[in-house]
Amino acid sequence: MSAPADASKTLASANRFSPVALRNNAGVLQYARSSLAFISGAAAGILGLEGWLHGFLFYVASSLVLSLILWLKTGFNPKRYFPTPDMLWVHEVAGNAFSYLLFWTLAYGLVHVYD
Amino acid sequence: MGQDAQQIFLDPAIRDWVLIPIMLVMVLVGVLRHHATQLLNSTPKGNLKGMRESAALLRARTLRSPAGFILPFPAFACRRTYLASAFEAGSYLKNPQAANSGPANPMTDPAGMEAMMDMMKKNMAMIVPQTLIMSWITFFFSGFVLIKLPFPLTLRFKAMLQRGIETADMDVTWVSSLSWYFLNLFGLRSIFTLILGEDNAAGGLQDMNQMQMMGMPGMGAQQPMQQPGEVANMFKSEKEFLELAQHEWALMGVEARVLELYGVKVDATEGEEKKNV
């Protein structure tokens, strides 16, 4: 059987990733996101943000800034480092939301509740 | 918090002796759990035949992935035929005669027994400290108003978050020590990632991922919990995948591609010859 020309072309020219390097990249991404959850949560608490909307927007905005910086660092080509390009934008954002909540609450409590 | 509807002044001693100690204890228990898990982790004892079984699957998978394209087509076809016939005959199976018998009792298999012990140890390492901390908190700190959440919650959460505080009119955002515990339980994961590294055993949530990974075939390591019949089925399906595998030699038309790198345009139809796969 003969494969269709365009399909086989994409098959042969598909990126081949080294699993070790992929795991390392995912680890770096996770490390950055964890730090971000910690720092942005503390910042939101110190700023005294209140309500789901403000906190959520702040977290999304800071995640977006981090993603933009990482995007810059990949040379605007995340496909070279991640199997899917959207991994750079969404990976572990939801997973670290609880950490953001924790540090938001902690910093808010320390600064604004206990005088 | 000046213009809030409800203003409660919390004693700074509550912060110093309840809020921060709870968090500190949970972080330290997580670190302890991580190291205890590493100590308890026994390295899986693989036997030769079991290794061969999983290595054969891994080899077939590599062959039909794009990594196999570095082989010229005859070499690929030769390997494919060989592996497919080996899978068909079951010559790589750990114990070929067990393939047709029903699911074996994992208790009788020493390897399966060991894996179950491992899982139990891990579960115990998670459940025991969490139960201890929770009873510590409920015993000493029940009824403390600890902190104010910066986000509003509906009244339905009141019974859960303010357990032990029998004040009907208090705002839901003021929460007790037990809810601070739960917030820590879910939120400390990123801290563990920062201080213990990527795949730490502190949070306990990773264990579930590992359990799901167990079901996935051919992860490289040997899987002691697998039934022999399952492996035989995996061999069968891998054989079918191999027979369906497409192959394109990575060096096909390489002359034209190299010339293109140096700016020479080659007619595409001239350089590439169609090869039947």
Side-chain angles (χ1 to χ4, degrees):
Chain A
M1 54 178 180
S2 168
D6 49 341
S8 62
K9 195 145 207 159
T10 55
L11 200 64
S13 61
N15 281 334
R16 281 122 185 170
F17 291 103
S18 148
V20 179
L22 270 190
R23 216 171 306 134
N24 183 48
N25 284 352
V28 170
L29 202 57
Q30 161 75 12
Y31 196 88
R33 290 256 178 252
S34 300
S35 313
L36 180 87
F38 175 56
I39 293 166
S40 65
I46 291 167
L47 287 173
L49 299 185
E50 279 184 34
W52 284 110
L53 186 67
H54 287 137
F56 180 71
L57 283 182
F58 188 75
Y59 184 54
V60 168
S62 45
S63 300
L64 208 62
V65 169
L66 179 74
S67 293
L68 279 173
I69 295 171
L70 287 173
W71 189 50
L72 196 82
K73 227 173 165 262
T74 59
F76 308 109
N77 191 10
K79 271 194 167 170
R80 285 185 60 198
Y81 301 93
F82 302 106
T84 55
D86 59 323
M87 195 175 159
L88 179 72
W89 304 93
V90 297
H91 182 66
E92 287 294 338
V93 172
N96 282 311
F98 267 115
S99 301
Y100 171 77
L101 279 188
L102 172 67
F103 287 103
W104 181 20
T105 308
L106 179 69
Y108 182 83
L110 290 185
V111 175
H112 295 274
V113 177
Y114 294 94
D115 298 293
Chain B
M1 51 174 281
Q3 65 273 36
D4 269 1
Q6 278 185 339
Q7 225 174 336
I8 302 178
F9 290 104
L10 300 177
D11 192 346
I14 293 181
R15 172 193 61 197
D16 295 346
W17 294 100
V18 183
L19 185 78
I20 290 168
I22 287 178
M23 193 168 181
L24 204 67
V25 163
M26 291 198 61
V27 171
L28 291 180
V29 165
V31 173
L32 189 74
R33 180 180 129 76
H34 172 70
H35 289 292
T37 314
Q38 279 191 335
L39 274 182
L40 290 175
N41 243 352
S42 53
T43 46
K45 290 189 204 105
N47 55 351
L48 194 61
K49 289 196 164 167
M51 288 298 275
R52 195 180 65 170
E53 188 176 70
S54 52
L57 275 178
L58 205 64
R59 194 173 165 213
R61 195 150 307 162
T62 316
L63 185 67
R64 66 181 165 85
S65 78
F69 293 171
I70 55 166
L71 294 170
F73 182 70
F76 173 79
C78 181
R79 281 164 173 76
R80 183 171 67 181
T81 319
Y82 174 73
L83 278 174
S85 65
F87 284 152
E88 181 65 48
S91 52
Y92 285 135
L93 280 178
K94 200 176 355 182
N95 37 356
Q97 72 274 14
N100 297 324
S101 67
N105 187 3
M107 287 302 190
T108 55
D109 187 13
M113 192 75 187
E114 209 165 285
M116 280 174 78
M117 274 304 280
D118 246 30
M119 209 181 290
M120 214 142 83
K121 270 191 244 168
K122 263 185 200 150
N123 279 345
M124 287 305 275
M126 183 172 89
I127 291 166
V128 169
Q130 299 304 355
T131 322
L132 279 181
I133 296 176
M134 212 163 142
S135 49
W136 168 61
I137 288 171
T138 43
F139 186 76
F140 284 103
F141 307 130
S142 72
F144 279 51
V145 176
L146 213 59
I147 205 164
K148 183 176 186 280
L149 298 177
F151 39 87
L153 291 167
T154 51
L155 273 177
R156 209 173 298 168
F157 285 95
K158 196 172 168 63
M160 189 175 76
L161 294 178
Q162 295 183 353
R163 183 167 301 169
I165 310 167
E166 310 296 337
T167 316
D169 289 336
M170 198 163 64
D171 206 49
V172 195
T173 51
W174 295 94
V175 294
S176 69
S177 44
L178 207 59
S179 20
W180 176 241
Y181 161 80
F182 279 115
L183 202 56
N184 272 286
L185 187 67
F186 294 117
L188 279 177
R189 196 171 70 106
S190 75
I191 287 301
F192 291 138
T193 309
L194 291 183
I195 58 180
L196 294 176
E198 171 67 1
D199 19 74
N200 59 72
L205 293 171
Q206 286 85 356
D207 285 351
M208 297 178 196
N209 293 340
Q210 276 170 9
M211 271 184 217
Q212 282 161 6
M213 294 272 271
M214 295 268 290
M216 285 163 80
M219 291 302 292
Q222 190 203 349
Q223 277 124 47
M225 290 292 271
Q226 258 164 7
Q227 311 289 345
E230 252 176 69
V231 184
N233 283 339
M234 264 155 54
F235 273 26
K236 290 257 158 56
S237 65
E238 191 61 45
K239 182 192 156 246
E240 273 160 31
F241 282 137
L242 270 180
E243 279 166 356
L244 288 174
Q246 291 185 348
H247 178 263
E248 185 182 345
W249 191 24
L251 289 184
M252 190 191 276
V254 68
E255 310 93 330
R257 272 184 279 147
V258 169
L259 282 176
E260 250 167 52
L261 277 182
Y262 291 96
V264 184
K265 278 281 165 209
V266 184
D267 192 14
T269 51
E270 189 185 314
E272 278 186 45
E273 43 174 330
K274 285 268 184 281
K275 192 149 206 169
N276 283 340
V277 176

